[in-house]
Amino acid sequence: QVQLVESGGGLVQPGGSLRLSCAASGSIFSINAMGWYRQAPGKERELVANIASGGSTNYADSVKGRFTISRDNAKNTVYLQMNSLKPEDTAVYYCKGRITTRQFIGVVYDYWGQGTQVTVSS
């Protein structure tokens, strides 16, 4: 019913920047919130940043001041601008959308993207 596709990952040097995007498509009625999570090998998946439908944001302490989350409601897309990247930012980054579909208005469900690899290394 709903698909989320991430893009923009890759290999960058420490101190570099990347901009991730995640586009949601399908029978979408509304998107309540969107967020970015990441998971490194041997570690639990953790919240990186979240943005609510009204635009309020929150960030993990480890990325505050370096990452910025934003959204384009007309495109059903969320972005993550990552600056001053560090090796410890290396992980698979996943997009999550809290979405109501046209078929089941009043029901909310979390959809996940397939993930995009971000590697920070010299």
Side-chain angles (χ1 to χ4, degrees):
Q1 293 182 345
V2 175
Q3 300 83 41
L4 276 67
V5 179
E6 303 99 333
S7 62
L11 174 64
V12 297
Q13 294 182 327
S17 298
L18 283 175
R19 186 172 187 251
L20 306 183
S21 63
C22 172
S25 62
S27 58
I28 297 171
F29 178 77
S30 64
I31 301 177
N32 300 100
M34 302 188 79
W36 288 96
Y37 293 72
R38 67 186 182 187
Q39 187 168 23
K43 298 185 66 178
E44 296 292 321
R45 187 173 299 185
E46 64 175 350
L47 174 69
V48 176
N50 189 75
I51 183 166
S53 60
S56 62
T57 60
N58 61 83
Y59 299 89
D61 288 340
S62 60
V63 307
K64 286 182 179 177
R66 300 189 297 121
F67 292 8
T68 303
I69 189 170
S70 61
R71 64 191 290 170
D72 186 335
N73 292 331
K75 297 181 179 180
N76 289 333
T77 300
V78 63
Y79 305 93
L80 185 67
Q81 179 66 47
M82 304 186 294
N83 299 325
S84 301
L85 284 162
K86 304 174 181 179
E88 50 262 45
D89 295 318
T90 297
V92 177
Y93 284 70
Y94 297 91
C95 174
K96 185 182 79 173
R98 181 156 288 184
I99 295 171
T100 295
T101 64
R102 295 190 180 98
Q103 291 83 358
F104 298 100
I105 297 174
V107 177
V108 69
Y109 187 82
D110 289 337
Y111 293 86
W112 291 87
Q114 293 295 107
T116 184
Q117 177 71 49
V118 172
T119 302
V120 185
S121 176
S122 59

